[in-house]
Amino acid sequence: MGRKVTVATCALNQWALDFEGNFQRILKSIQIAKDKGARYRLGPELEICGYGCWDHYHESDTLLHSLQVLAALLDSPITQDIICDVGMPVMHRNVRYNCRVIFLNRKILLIRPKMALANEGNYRELRWFTPWSRSRQTEDYVLPRMLQDLTKQTTVPFGDVVLATQDTCIGSEVCEELWTPRSPHVDMGLDGVEIITNASGSHHVLRKAHTRVDLVTMATSKNGGIYLLANQKGCDGDRLYYDGCAMIAMNGSIFAQGTQFSLDDVEVLTATLDLEDVRSYRAEISSRNLEASKVSPYPRVTVDFALSVSEDLLEPVSEPVEWTYHRPEEEISLGPACWLWDFLRRSKQAGFFLPLSGGIDSAASACIVYSMCCLICEAVKSGNQQVLADVQNLVQQFNYTPRDPRELCRRLLTTCYMASENSSQETHGRATELAQLIGSYHISLSIDTAVKAVLGIFSLVTGKFPRFSAHGGSSRENLALQNVQARIRMVLAYLFAQLSLWSRGAQGGLLVLGSANVDESLLGYLTKYDCSSADINPIGGISKTDLRAFIQFCAERFQLPTLKIILSAPATAELEPLANGQVSQTDEEDMGMTYAELSIFGRLRKVAKAGPYSMFCKLLNMWKDSCTPRQVAEKVKRFFSKYSMNRHKMTTLTPAYHAENYSPDDNRFDLRPFLYNAKWPWQFHCIDYQVLQLEKKAQQSQEDQILEHFEKPSPLWKQLLPGDS
């Protein structure tokens, strides 16, 4: 009697609208699943077209080509004798749905539309799709003629339905449905569904993996059952990195863990599990069984197929595993590195150009590229032919095999220290040493000639020559002189990115990398159209605090001692004149707040949804041991004033790897105005009023304590009063 089932889930590096590539990766995953003995294969959400198609979902072409790929999958001999569960958009009665299409041996068994759409943060699914709202109900979906001819079917079930095989029952969730308060897996499990599947399009955020794992293990811990989670991986065309973490769980334990970060385009996990373990586990949970006796049944589609085989007595079953998590600094070294690799190979550029200042931020970007080179060499060494072919295409040498990350880094990364008369020897030395350690092709140049030329034009036209504050100029002059230097660096960065390889007799151009962190972007502590303006930014969603931990990690992991010197140096833009050859300008002094405070402001503003007044109220308690109410008020007002004055800079922010939930990215994640009343008169008045009330209360309390001290005689005085002797 068969009771052991082998099931497969996967993580695929799909690419939006790359129908041919997506088709081949799906086929490969199905073949691997079959080779491992699986009789059911689950793929990621919307895997046929790629999750990140965005407004392309409105186009009929996207629906058409998805149907064509589905037809090709149905017709392929590779998909025979295994239940295939694929994701694609489907239009039913002129309404677009995000769907799972489950098929077996050229027959579509059912189409299950998503019932809870993700519509927060980076997700906008309600813009393109409609949720299926008819719980436990189905309709007939009329197949397009291209599928009718192939399947010999006219209609198939469409709706909230589960699949009953000869030996078990399978139910589908789609991504967001696992995260909702009333997840479908609860009632499905109560109705006897033993295998729950979840096809996800879930992107990476620092420290998020444990939440995903906890949700899956908790789902099977309370209700028993087998849970499969598939996810997309890689960069499919924008700021997000989908971080895999495919998994198979049963009865509260993990039985298969997929990688979170890797360069493998196709990763397939399988597990062989005993259905009797599910039944025994559920049997002793009496509260669950009482609920199960009352649950409304799901419509079932039956199929004459079994996931188990009749003679499986000697078939070994999978053992539980302990989930291994990455530390945040490891996540930074791996996630953005994989994202950069996808961006580089898919953009068909020849490498990266990075302005290297000798500070923490640009050093972090350089280390991420070096980490990418390490991952490439490791993947090639382990036999990844796709990575080898991609590298050979990039360097235009088809007999080349990368073995040394430093040698590969010299081919793929050009760094440049752009000195001015305000630059110090210390930053120049740090940039040069780091470039030598990671192996990048390094350039040192001076921008002074270009700066003088631009200022000369201004002086010729106006008859005025601006001066730095240190030389008697106004604050307006001082800021303008800093911005000229910063913007000239951007112009030179793009010039060298386009022509640097040409000057060396090599083919192609370079992608310019930015190095503005999430905290500086939040406050607007950057020059519009300076070196923060680039093609992509690997650290734009990462806080300064996390970057410092990452730099410390890289110093040890990659043996880069210069990074420890960079860590100990004060952060500075070096745009103002030196004082006796030493840096006179620091970032935190310029900003008027620390990076640690900025991170707190950022999380309260975005994650806690706090405006100026709410933030003040929250920080009163958080900072009660270090700040007076008036000091808290001044910090909050300073932050919101600078934030609102500089919000316009977010409209031109370089596309950055999304890693933080308080990212100020204006494109899709953080939708706010960019023209504010930066004085916030009403809000700041409310804060000032509360400060006065708190100060009056504190003063009154202090006066009461003084009066109490003098009005109540001490016991000694009481003994000396007349009549008391």
Side-chain angles (χ1 to χ4, degrees), residues 578-583:
L578 302 174
N580 300 318
Q582 300 298 312
V583 172

Side-chain angles (χ1 to χ4, degrees), residues 576-629:
E576 295 190 41
L578 302 174
N580 300 318
Q582 300 298 312
V583 172
S584 61
Q585 176 187 29
T586 65
D587 291 353
E588 292 188 339
E589 187 177 336
D590 276 356
M591 294 187 298
M593 60 195 75
T594 67
Y595 280 107
E597 290 172 341
L598 255 180
S599 289
I600 294 171
F601 292 142
R603 286 189 171 86
L604 289 176
R605 181 198 69 99
K606 178 65 178 177
V607 181
K609 284 78 176 176
Y613 182 72
S614 295
M615 188 179 292
F616 167 74
C617 294
K618 290 177 183 295
L619 288 175
L620 274 178
N621 187 56
M622 288 175 61
W623 290 349
K624 63 183 178 183
D625 295 329
S626 58
C627 296
T628 66

Side-chain angles (χ1 to χ4, degrees), residues 356-637:
L356 193 61
S357 69
I360 286 177
D361 294 339
S362 62
S365 291
C367 287
I368 288 170
V369 177
Y370 183 69
S371 177
M372 180 196 81
C373 293
C374 292
L375 290 173
I376 292 169
C377 291
E378 290 168 8
V380 170
K381 185 178 180 180
S382 66
N384 191 318
Q385 294 301 307
Q386 182 62 58
V387 172
L388 178 60
D390 287 334
V391 173
Q392 291 173 342
N393 283 328
L394 286 173
V395 301
Q396 292 293 296
Q397 291 183 17
F398 299 100
N399 60 350
Y400 171 68
T401 301
R403 293 184 176 88
D404 178 10
R406 293 183 75 256
E407 186 273 334
L408 179 60
C409 192
R410 185 169 180 82
R411 291 172 178 265
L412 297 183
L413 177 62
T414 298
T415 52
C416 182
Y417 182 80
M418 302 184 190
S420 75
E421 61 185 12
N422 303 317
S423 302
S424 66
Q425 287 299 314
E426 288 77 13
T427 54
H428 180 266
R430 295 195 295 265
T432 303
E433 288 174 22
L434 179 59
Q436 289 173 347
L437 287 171
I438 65 174
S440 65
Y441 183 91
H442 189 64
I443 301 166
S444 289
L445 57 83
S446 172
I447 66 171
D448 287 337
T449 304
V451 172
K452 289 175 182 175
V454 171
L455 293 176
I457 294 172
F458 178 83
S459 181
L460 185 66
V461 172
T462 64
K464 301 281 188 180
F465 202 92
R467 294 175 295 171
F468 285 105
S469 296
H471 301 153
S474 65
S475 60
R476 291 167 66 189
E477 296 170 74
N478 195 65
L479 184 59
L481 289 172
Q482 293 183 66
N483 288 344
V484 166
Q485 298 169 75
R487 289 176 176 136
I488 282 175
R489 286 187 171 120
M490 184 272 288
V491 172
L492 287 171
Y494 273 95
L495 176 63
F496 275 83
Q498 285 185 294
L499 297 179
S500 177
L501 293 181
W502 167 79
S503 71
R504 290 180 256 163
Q507 296 291 318
L510 303 174
L511 291 165
V512 179
L513 294 182
S515 295
N517 63 62
V518 71
D519 297 322
E520 291 171 351
S521 297
L522 173 68
L523 195 67
Y525 184 64
L526 50 88
T527 299
K528 206 172 186 179
Y529 305 118
D530 68 348
C531 280
S532 64
S533 294
D535 294 314
I536 49 175
N537 180 356
I539 69 164
I542 304 171
S543 72
K544 192 77 165 188
T545 303
D546 283 334
L547 285 176
R548 293 186 67 87
F550 167 64
I551 289 291
Q552 181 66 46
F553 168 81
C554 289
E556 298 165 4
R557 172 64 63 88
F558 300 128
Q559 298 297 300
L560 303 173
T562 302
L563 293 178
K564 294 187 177 181
I565 302 173
I566 291 173
L567 262 180
S568 64
T572 174
E574 286 196 334
L575 294 171
E576 295 190 41
L578 302 174
N580 300 318
Q582 300 298 312
V583 172
S584 61
Q585 176 187 29
T586 65
D587 291 353
E588 292 188 339
E589 187 177 336
D590 276 356
M591 294 187 298
M593 60 195 75
T594 67
Y595 280 107
E597 290 172 341
L598 255 180
S599 289
I600 294 171
F601 292 142
R603 286 189 171 86
L604 289 176
R605 181 198 69 99
K606 178 65 178 177
V607 181
K609 284 78 176 176
Y613 182 72
S614 295
M615 188 179 292
F616 167 74
C617 294
K618 290 177 183 295
L619 288 175
L620 274 178
N621 187 56
M622 288 175 61
W623 290 349
K624 63 183 178 183
D625 295 329
S626 58
C627 296
T628 66
R630 185 167 293 277
Q631 288 171 327
V632 172
E634 290 307 314
K635 288 176 182 288
V636 169
K637 290 194 287 185

Side-chain angles (χ1 to χ4, degrees), residues 134 190 252 381 444 685:
R134 297 167 60 189
L190 293 175
K381 185 178 180 180
S444 289
H685 173 75

